Amino acid sequence: MTGYASAQLGASQGNTSTESGTPPNRRLGLEIRSVNSRFLDLSLRLPDELRALEPVLRTLVTQKIKRGKVEVRAWLEQADTAALPDVNPRLLQRLGSLQDAVQSWMPEASPLSVAEVLRFCTGSSATPEDWSSAIPAVAQQALEALLQARAQEGERLATMLHERVSQLRALALQAVPLVPRLVEQQRQRFMERWKEAMGLAEGSATPEAAQDRALSEATAFAIRIDVAEEVTRLQSHLDEIERLLRQGGDIGKRLDFLIQELHREANTFGSKSAALELTRISVDMKVLIEQMREQVQNIE
């Protein structure tokens, strides 16, 4: 299911120790994006400072989300840019000299980035920040917001599925009385053909053998086009879909299976169609089932 949520937490909130060396103006941010997928596809984009906490994040997400393509992105930022410390020019000169010396021996060495220079100048590299207690808190906050957004979408999808189920039931009920009517029409055709074949005049008695043959052919025709079994199974699958929607929880994969069964019954129904009315009903069923299948992919 689709959804988006984000959360932020200041360093002073996430660290219990005042001696951790984490500046109070640093802030941790985290966002979670979720789109439709049949299975759980989780990807994490973390800065180097948080890379060691990837297993913790992965565990927290997989405990709450079972399905969907989920992207988790975390970042660290300065809460107040005016609070940035002044850089000592002599220290910058010293760093430049050291970089030149290193690159003279190792030409392929990458130059220092601005972030690395700032860490050296402020001395933060000596006391690395500890975000191990902040990550679970901010991730939990973002996950709760995401699950709430997904739940709201789930309610809309459930309403749509209930509507499609009602429409499928109505189509099945339309098909039930058509079968006896078609059988009677076919029996009349057989009788007329037998009369013509035997050269009987209108209103004359039909030989018993011809009548029995017509009834036999009509019976075979009724068996071929009988959809009572398919209608019963279709109604049973619809009952189960409604039960799962009322139950809630992790029902996406079960609904996937039931949609496949509905497709099978609709296909069989179509193969037995002996009239345009039944063919139309079969096509309408397939359209509704396909709409359900597309939306079921969004349900966890």
Side-chain angles (χ1 to χ4, degrees):
M1 297 171 64
T2 59
Y4 171 84
S6 64
Q8 294 186 2
L9 193 65
S12 58
Q13 297 172 276
N15 291 276
T16 58
S17 173
T18 58
E19 301 178 356
S20 63
T22 304
N25 58 332
R26 290 273 277 177
R27 186 167 57 227
L28 167 65
L30 187 142
E31 66 178 13
I32 306 177
R33 301 175 185 270
S34 172
V35 295
N36 307 327
S37 178
R38 294 185 62 187
F39 307 99
L40 178 59
D41 180 9
L42 176 60
S43 62
L44 293 93
R45 298 171 56 190
L46 308 176
D48 292 338
E49 296 169 270
L50 302 178
R51 188 67 61 187
L53 298 175
E54 179 175 335
V56 176
L57 270 175
R58 189 174 294 275
T59 300
L60 289 171
V61 173
T62 54
Q63 286 176 346
K64 298 290 185 180
I65 301 177
K66 306 300 181 185
R67 200 179 194 195
K69 185 175 182 180
V70 181
E71 178 184 334
V72 178
R73 187 176 75 88
W75 70 90
L76 295 170
E77 62 182 13
Q78 205 75 19
D80 183 7
T81 56
L84 288 173
D86 293 331
V87 179
N88 189 332
R90 295 183 61 185
L91 185 55
L92 288 176
Q93 184 178 8
R94 177 60 177 161
L95 285 174
S97 299
L98 289 174
Q99 178 176 259
D100 292 341
V102 170
Q103 290 183 330
S104 66
W105 287 93
M106 304 172 64
E108 296 181 358
S110 301
L112 290 171
S113 66
V114 174
E116 291 169 337
V117 170
L118 287 175
R119 284 202 301 269
F120 281 118
C121 291
T122 59
S124 59
S125 59
T127 56
E129 300 168 0
D130 180 14
W131 296 96
S132 58
S133 59
I135 278 287
V138 72
Q140 196 68 31
Q141 183 180 348
L143 281 169
E144 289 175 0
L146 179 68
L147 292 176
Q148 183 177 0
R150 285 160 62 102
Q152 293 174 354
E153 183 188 2
E155 291 176 0
R156 293 191 294 269
L157 293 178
T159 300
M160 186 280 293
L161 291 175
H162 278 299
E163 293 175 354
R164 299 299 184 273
V165 167
S166 298
Q167 293 171 5
L168 284 171
R169 290 189 189 278
L171 288 172
L173 291 177
Q174 291 177 23
V176 171
L178 290 177
V179 174
R181 193 186 312 163
L182 290 172
V183 172
E184 178 59 25
Q185 292 174 358
Q186 191 68 14
R187 189 184 70 83
Q188 292 295 335
R189 291 195 196 99
F190 286 141
M191 293 294 293
E192 291 171 1
R193 289 174 184 173
W194 276 106
K195 288 180 180 180
E196 293 174 359
M198 299 183 68
L200 298 176
E202 183 66 29
S204 62
T206 303
E208 184 178 350
Q211 187 173 3
D212 290 343
R213 181 62 184 274
L215 291 174
S216 176
E217 293 288 345
T219 301
F221 175 76
I223 293 174
R224 288 198 304 272
I225 70 169
D226 184 24
V227 293
E229 185 177 352
E230 286 73 19
V231 170
T232 300
R233 286 199 297 262
L234 186 139
Q235 297 281 15
S236 176
H237 297 328
L238 295 177
D239 290 341
E240 181 64 11
I241 288 174
E242 289 188 321
R243 186 190 70 80
L244 290 174
L245 291 174
R246 290 192 300 268
Q247 169 187 306
D250 299 339
I251 62 174
K253 293 184 179 179
R254 294 183 181 182
L255 289 177
D256 267 341
F257 172 76
L258 290 171
I259 294 300
Q260 293 176 10
E261 294 301 305
L262 288 178
H263 264 298
R264 182 176 293 108
E265 301 305 333
N267 286 333
T268 306
F269 193 96
S271 67
K272 291 186 175 183
S273 295
L276 289 177
E277 292 176 281
L278 285 175
T279 301
R280 178 190 60 79
I281 291 174
S282 174
V283 171
D284 290 344
M285 282 183 173
K286 291 178 182 180
V287 171
L288 292 173
I289 293 170
E290 182 61 24
Q291 292 174 355
M292 294 174 68
R293 186 193 67 79
E294 292 176 356
Q295 297 302 327
V296 161
Q297 301 298 321
N298 306 337
I299 297 178
E300 182 173 312

